[in-house]
Amino acid sequence: MDWLDNIIKTFLDFDAMWQVFPQLLGVGLVNTLVISIWATVIGIVLGMVVAIMGISPSRWLRIPARIYTDVFRGLPAILTILLIGQGFARFSQELFGPSPYPLGILALSLIASAYIGEIFRAGIQSVDRGQLEACRALGMSYGKAMRLVVVPQGIRRVLPALVNQFIAIVKDSSLVYFLGLLVSERELFRVGQDAAVLTGNLSPLVMAGLFYLVITVPLTHLVNYFDHRFRTGRRKATPPKSGLDEVEEVNPTPTLTYGSNT
Amino acid sequence: MTYTSPVPVTDGHLYAGSSLELRSLTMAYGDIEVLREVSLDVAPGTTTCIIGPSGSGKSTLLRGVNRLHEPKSGDVLLAGESVLTQKPDAVRKRIGLVFQHFNLFPDHTALENVALALRNVKGLSKAESRRIANERLAEVGLAERADHRPRDLSGGQQQRVAIARALAMEPEVMLFDEATSALDPELVKGVLNLMAGLAQRGMTMLVVTHEMGFARKVADQVVFMDEGRVVEAGTPGDLFDRPQSPRLQRFLSEVL
């Protein structure tokens, strides 16, 4: 069983895993979450702007939104991250100092906003047209109708898709290491990779992988749960009732019944 | 069949309906004209019912009146003034529209549905908008359902909320777009009674309907449309008992 030993040593060396565990938890996980959450928050804000522009009646808003989405969705993530991370390094240095960390977050946000913009757009457009018409018929402006009625409904529908997008961002955050992070800024993948190189053993990377799965798998199931709930609705079954209940409701005056009014 | 207002006429809120006139109104979707040169006078406080087959332009006509769809040519006069020279939002505030499929806001309660535009279009205070909303809901017999969401209401109840929502804005004209077509048969009359009550309390109403009984009993004027034109218009007696055009005679022989 030499080969089995080999495999276990290469991938599941517990000593190597255990050694890297504190670093993965204290540095890697924290940074991965910080990067991902920032990128998601900024991505949601930008994505909403892109979505609103994308469904605007004005083509001068629609076309730029379309181009933006096409570009950032169409490019490989790694290319965008490198272009943004290195291209704006001078600019970023004046604002945030020498760390490429903020630019990594920015690049991820831009990519995320293109996807999130599409998610929001699809959600908003799936809201029945009658909702907008009802608002407009009451004299509401387009902007108010969108803000008060249509967009909130659209957002609620795409919550599962947004969680999916967060999962994608968590995974993509591993690409930020390309920009060269300081030791304390390393995210899960980089921590695992460094340890793997140091020990000449892949187990630290497997450990990093487990960390990713601990974040992503529960979220995936959360999405499925929400999805199921949205589809089946929260309606409880009610016993059958008489249509007369309601007929009475609009005819409050008791009707005369033959024989009972003597 | 008779239609009795659910609230005694003298008890309910009185409305000051305005006149509505259509002058050679023509409307198109792209290149296709769906409404051709329609002229119509609706006197203040009267009810006009528009009947006719589906696709004859009835709904489009209503949408032209409040400019949900922009007319191609012709004019619409509300209280004698052209709506085309005014801001659409200002016109729509004065014209209520009730849809076939209610179009209530699903994540708002009945009360919030009615209060939303009062607060955000009329700019009333929260308390004031809720007070008016409660009043209007009571008027349509739904005071006790004020906190229900649309999905917990039946179709008839939803449509009554929608009517209350339109009425809350104190419109001068009410438009009904097949308001009872999507309802349980048993619930149709409740909504029609409500509409008849409005007619008696001074509202100007333009009603697209397939309810011939309602048109005959409640309307002051009935208009028969086909292929985007007015084929025949007159009193209910004229249209239903003495139809002149072969097209209307045929229509009535099929539906009555």
Side-chain angles (χ1 to χ4, degrees):
Chain A
M1 299 295 264
D2 239 14
W3 59 272
L4 188 62
D5 261 4
N6 243 332
I7 285 183
I8 289 179
K9 235 181 230 152
T10 315
F11 294 108
L12 298 169
D13 181 335
F14 281 109
D15 282 343
M17 284 169 126
W18 190 242
Q19 251 177 11
V20 78
F21 188 86
Q23 267 193 319
L24 282 173
L25 193 65
V27 179
L29 181 64
V30 172
N31 281 316
T32 291
L33 287 179
V34 167
I35 294 172
S36 307
I37 289 170
W38 268 111
T40 307
V41 169
I42 301 173
I44 284 176
V45 174
L46 290 178
M48 184 48 85
V49 173
V50 173
I52 297 289
M53 285 170 70
I55 54 173
S56 154
S58 153
R59 71 161 66 180
W60 298 110
L61 293 175
R62 248 183 6 245
I63 293 174
R66 195 66 251 162
I67 294 174
Y68 178 92
T69 309
D70 284 348
V71 167
F72 284 105
R73 256 187 0 162
L75 290 176
I78 186 67
L79 196 144
T80 308
I81 289 171
L82 276 180
L83 282 183
I84 303 269
Q86 294 179 348
F88 293 100
R90 288 257 298 281
F91 186 64
S92 153
Q93 186 148 14
E94 286 168 24
L95 276 173
F96 308 107
S99 164
Y101 199 82
L103 282 179
I105 291 177
L106 177 68
L108 281 175
S109 307
L110 294 179
I111 300 165
S113 67
Y115 286 95
I116 293 174
E118 286 294 274
I119 292 172
F120 278 144
R121 187 179 61 80
I124 293 168
Q125 284 183 329
S126 76
V127 175
D128 179 34
R129 234 199 119 59
Q131 293 289 310
L132 180 62
E133 282 195 341
C135 291
R136 302 302 316 262
L138 288 164
M140 233 180 259
S141 66
Y142 175 84
K144 266 190 184 170
M146 289 308 250
R147 188 162 55 78
L148 295 171
V149 173
V150 179
V151 171
Q153 283 181 55
I155 290 178
R156 200 150 315 146
R157 273 170 215 208
V158 298
L159 282 181
L162 283 183
V163 179
N164 267 334
Q165 191 56 42
F166 179 72
I167 293 172
I169 293 171
V170 168
K171 292 186 288 179
D172 278 355
S173 69
S174 61
L175 295 171
V176 171
Y177 92 93
F178 264 96
L179 298 178
L181 297 166
L182 304 179
V183 176
S184 62
E185 292 171 344
R186 293 175 303 165
E187 36 63 58
L188 285 172
F189 171 75
R190 188 58 201 256
V191 171
Q193 163 77 354
D194 284 354
V197 170
L198 232 73
T199 57
N201 182 298
L202 286 176
S203 306
L205 265 181
V206 171
M207 195 69 216
L210 288 177
F211 267 85
Y212 279 109
L213 292 179
V214 166
I215 305 173
T216 54
V217 170
L219 282 176
T220 315
H221 287 275
L222 188 74
V223 171
N224 291 345
Y225 169 74
F226 273 136
D227 222 25
H228 181 72
R229 245 177 71 134
F230 279 145
R231 232 165 322 121
T232 52
R234 278 150 293 184
R235 242 195 132 129
K236 283 180 225 99
T238 48
K241 54 174 188 181
S242 165
L244 277 180
D245 296 346
E246 197 184 330
V247 175
E248 300 293 330
E249 187 180 289
V250 278
N251 297 313
T253 37
T255 32
L256 290 177
T257 325
Y258 286 111
S260 65
N261 293 296
T262 45
Chain B
M1 215 206 271
T2 54
Y3 299 92
T4 19
S5 164
V7 203
V9 172
T10 45
D11 286 9
H13 190 84
L14 291 177
Y15 294 94
S18 292
S19 67
L20 183 69
E21 294 152 73
L22 275 54
R23 297 268 171 271
S24 312
L25 189 65
T26 299
M27 295 181 62
Y29 291 110
D31 289 335
I32 301 161
E33 282 193 359
V34 286
L35 204 66
R36 298 172 189 149
E37 305 266 324
V38 170
S39 294
L40 203 62
D41 276 9
V42 185
T46 66
T47 298
T48 294
C49 283
I50 306 178
I51 60 172
S54 298
S56 59
K58 310 186 296 293
S59 297
T60 308
L61 182 150
L62 293 187
R63 268 144 219 274
V65 170
N66 73 355
R67 294 179 65 185
L68 273 185
H69 190 77
E70 288 293 332
K72 188 176 168 196
S73 64
D75 206 349
V76 177
L77 309 179
L78 175 64
E81 283 175 73
S82 168
V83 303
L84 298 178
T85 57
Q86 304 172 48
K87 285 206 173 113
D89 287 343
V91 172
R92 291 179 193 136
K93 258 192 269 188
R94 300 164 60 195
I95 302 178
L97 174 58
V98 176
F99 299 86
Q100 179 177 359
H101 295 290
F102 331 133
N103 292 346
L104 292 183
F105 311 132
D107 38 11
H108 291 60
T109 63
L111 185 75
E112 290 164 352
N113 261 281
V114 182
L116 186 73
L118 289 172
R119 186 131 171 69
N120 289 288
V121 177
K122 280 203 163 175
L124 300 182
S125 72
K126 196 172 176 188
E128 181 69 358
S129 57
R130 289 177 75 89
R131 186 186 66 76
I132 296 176
N134 269 315
E135 239 172 59
R136 290 295 158 276
L137 281 178
E139 202 173 306
V140 298
L142 287 171
E144 273 148 42
R145 314 266 167 164
D147 296 325
H148 286 57
R149 279 174 203 268
R151 68 160 174 273
D152 298 321
L153 297 171
S154 75
Q157 290 167 336
Q158 288 190 50
Q159 193 58 297
R160 284 185 279 140
V161 174
I163 292 173
R165 177 172 74 177
L167 288 177
M169 297 297 286
E170 295 278 338
E172 298 160 39
V173 173
M174 282 286 280
L175 311 174
F176 291 85
D177 190 3
E178 295 191 25
T180 58
S181 295
L183 299 183
D184 269 17
E186 215 175 11
L187 305 179
V188 168
K189 201 171 166 206
V191 171
L192 292 179
N193 281 341
L194 193 61
M195 290 161 64
L198 283 179
Q200 288 172 309
R201 282 182 280 129
M203 182 59 79
T204 305
M205 306 209 295
L206 192 53
V207 182
V208 168
T209 187
H210 291 308
E211 298 290 332
M212 297 304 147
F214 179 83
R216 183 194 277 269
K217 285 272 162 52
V218 177
D220 301 284
Q221 174 182 228
V222 179
V223 176
F224 173 68
M225 284 182 63
D226 190 31
E227 294 180 319
R229 292 176 213 279
V230 173
V231 177
E232 209 170 326
T235 63
D238 284 344
L239 253 79
F240 289 114
D241 301 329
R242 298 172 290 280
Q244 303 296 310
S245 62
R247 180 68 188 92
L248 178 55
Q249 288 163 5
R250 179 75 202 275
F251 179 78
L252 291 176
S253 73
E254 299 292 337
V255 300
L256 290 182

